[in-house]
Amino acid sequence: MDASKKYKKSQLALRNGQDKEEIWVALHGIIYDVSDSRLWKNGKHYEHWAGQDLTDELADAPHTESVFEKFKQVGILED
């Protein structure tokens, strides 16, 4: 994994579980691969969609950001 690899929001958006095989989400500027999670099947997790930055939505989640520690970091989200 090259966690220093940078991706634009448009590149992240393609990893939404529909357009490409990978299912990615971002949190605090770090992109995580959630493809293997059964909870992200087809790019949807409850009312959240993959391929985007979920930082602002985390406050509404029933879990903390520590849940992302089990997922592989694939890069950094460019501004």
Side-chain angles (χ1 to χ4, degrees), residues 7-27 30-35 40 42-45 48-55 57 68 74 77:
Y7 293 92
K8 297 178 193 255
K9 286 184 179 182
S10 61
Q11 292 172 297
L12 173 62
L14 291 174
R15 274 67 176 196
N16 60 13
Q18 307 296 312
D19 296 310
K20 290 191 179 276
E21 199 172 297
E22 303 98 346
I23 302 173
W24 292 358
V25 296
L27 181 71
I30 298 173
I31 300 172
Y32 296 89
D33 185 341
V34 296
S35 303
W40 279 99
N42 299 319
K44 187 169 191 259
H45 176 62
H48 306 289
W49 294 93
Q52 59 184 321
D53 185 346
L54 300 178
T55 303
E57 298 180 33
F68 288 89
V74 294
L77 184 62

Side-chain angles (χ1 to χ4, degrees), residues 63-70:
H63 55 73
T64 64
E65 62 188 67
S66 64
V67 73
F68 288 89
E69 293 173 4
K70 63 182 170 183

